[in-house]
């Protein structure tokens, strides 16, 4: 099986390809260019590196949120178009769950945190149970203090990863004693992890068609939030 995974959920654009469960290409770009500029050239390069054409892809995988609203729309639109044109299945992967796959070997509570600004993070909690990553804290957007309160009740070591680490690392150190942080090489979004997570979901019959491609923001876009705040004042 040939699988193409795309991740545009954050500042990092990522593309990975696997052939028969072997990763043949995996690349990420973290610069000031927009995903609309980078992602298609990355897909082209990944296909060339894997000696493939887009028509050879059997399964498309993408991150459907949470994350950058614009970035998520770019990635999902590309995958939806390919899947529609080629009549191939799609697997939708949570950005947070894909991050957890970076350290799927850990026995600690895995806590991805993505900076959602205003002292909030997109977050969830995962544990490795019988060799599989299982959700144990529901995905949500919440204040970092509330997250630490939830983790504290579990009374176990937590390993944090994601772009929220650089923002909240000092706060976590000061307010949660049993903390660990993933090293830099495992901390950020990795398209190979997106692919692996998606492939396992595919084998568990979680594929959809292009018609079911959707996004999960976890909270309203900023423009909608600002509008709601103005309406409250009236």
């Amino acid at each position: 099986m040939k699988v193409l995974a795309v991740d545009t959920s954050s500042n990092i654009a990522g593309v990975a390809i696997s052939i028969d469960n072997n990763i043949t290409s995996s690349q990420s770009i973290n610069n000031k260019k927009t995903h609309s500029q980078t992602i298609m050239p990355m897909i082209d390069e990944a296909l060339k590196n894997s000696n493939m054409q887009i028509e050879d892809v059997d399964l498309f995988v993408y991150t459907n949120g949470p994350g950058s609203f614009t970035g998520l729309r770019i990635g999902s639109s590309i995958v939806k178009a390919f899947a529609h044109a080629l009549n191939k299945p799609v697997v939708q992967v949570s950005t947070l769950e894909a991050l957890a796959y970076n350290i799927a070997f850990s026995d600690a509570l895995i806590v991805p945190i993505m900076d959602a600004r205003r002292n909030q993070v997109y977050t969830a909690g995962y544990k490795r149970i019988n060799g599989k990553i299982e959700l144990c804290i529901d995905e949500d957007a919440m204040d970092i203090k509330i997250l630490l309160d939830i983790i504290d009740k579990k009374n176990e070591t937590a390993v944090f990863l994601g772009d929220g680490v650089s923002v909240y690392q000092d706060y976590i150190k000061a307010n949660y004693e049993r903390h660990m942080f993933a090293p830099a090489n495992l901390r950020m979004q990795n398209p190979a992890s997106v692919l692996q997570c998606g492939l396992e979901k595919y084998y568990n019959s979680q594929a959809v068609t292009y018609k079911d491609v959707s996004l999960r923001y976890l909270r309203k876009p900023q423009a909608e939030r600002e509008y709601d705040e103005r309406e409250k004042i009236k």
Side-chain angles (χ1 to χ4, degrees):
M1 171 175 280
K2 298 178 176 66
V3 185
L4 171 64
V6 174
D7 179 22
T8 55
S9 59
S10 68
N11 290 334
I12 298 174
V15 174
I17 289 177
S18 73
I19 300 176
D20 297 333
N21 294 322
N22 295 310
I23 301 294
T24 56
S25 180
S26 180
Q27 56 181 312
S28 300
I29 296 178
N30 185 6
N31 58 26
K32 295 181 180 179
K33 292 183 178 180
T34 65
H35 294 328
S36 60
Q37 294 174 290
T38 58
I39 199 67
M40 285 304 297
M42 291 175 69
I43 291 173
D44 287 340
E45 183 176 356
L47 289 168
K48 290 177 182 177
N49 290 339
S50 302
N51 296 316
M52 286 171 51
Q53 303 290 328
I54 191 64
E55 293 81 5
D56 297 326
V57 175
D58 299 305
L59 173 68
F60 292 94
V61 178
Y62 77 103
T63 45
N64 70 338
S68 161
F69 290 18
T70 300
L72 289 170
R73 287 193 289 269
I74 291 171
S76 64
S77 296
I78 290 172
V79 166
K80 184 175 184 178
F82 282 144
H84 185 190
L86 301 173
N87 193 28
K88 298 296 176 65
V90 179
V91 170
Q92 306 174 111
V93 171
S94 159
T95 313
L96 296 167
E97 185 176 4
L99 275 168
Y101 268 68
N102 287 6
I103 51 174
F105 52 83
S106 176
D107 288 323
L109 175 64
I110 304 172
V111 186
I113 52 174
M114 299 174 64
D115 184 22
R117 303 190 179 180
R118 297 187 176 186
N119 289 325
Q120 286 198 330
V121 291
Y122 299 121
T123 189
Y126 300 88
K127 287 283 291 185
R128 185 167 66 93
I129 301 174
N130 296 326
K132 296 183 178 180
I133 295 295
E134 302 286 351
L135 181 70
C136 62
I137 298 175
D138 288 340
E139 295 184 357
D140 205 351
M142 66 180 72
D143 188 282
I144 186 66
K145 181 181 183 301
I146 293 175
L147 172 62
L148 295 187
D149 288 343
I150 293 172
I151 295 173
D152 186 58
K153 293 177 181 178
K154 292 187 172 295
N155 192 32
E156 58 183 304
T157 299
V159 54
F160 296 87
L161 71 164
D163 62 14
V165 170
S166 61
V167 180
Y168 297 106
Q169 184 169 351
D170 290 342
Y171 183 86
I172 294 170
K173 287 180 178 178
N175 291 277
Y176 191 75
E177 182 177 350
R178 299 181 65 179
H179 65 265
M180 297 173 61
F181 299 102
N185 62 309
L186 298 175
R187 185 173 297 172
M188 304 298 286
Q189 280 83 355
N190 181 343
S193 293
V194 175
L195 192 154
Q196 183 62 37
C197 182
L199 196 55
E200 293 187 17
K201 289 181 180 297
Y202 174 78
Y203 288 132
N204 285 317
S205 302
Q206 295 182 43
V208 300
T209 71
Y210 75 92
K211 296 179 182 180
D212 297 310
V213 166
S214 61
L215 297 174
R216 299 176 59 256
Y217 295 127
L218 293 188
R219 71 177 188 181
K220 294 180 179 179
Q222 182 176 350
E224 291 186 25
R225 297 197 306 272
E226 291 175 352
Y227 174 81
D228 290 344
E229 290 176 2
R230 290 195 298 270
E231 288 297 300
K232 290 179 182 179
I233 297 174
K234 292 182 180 180

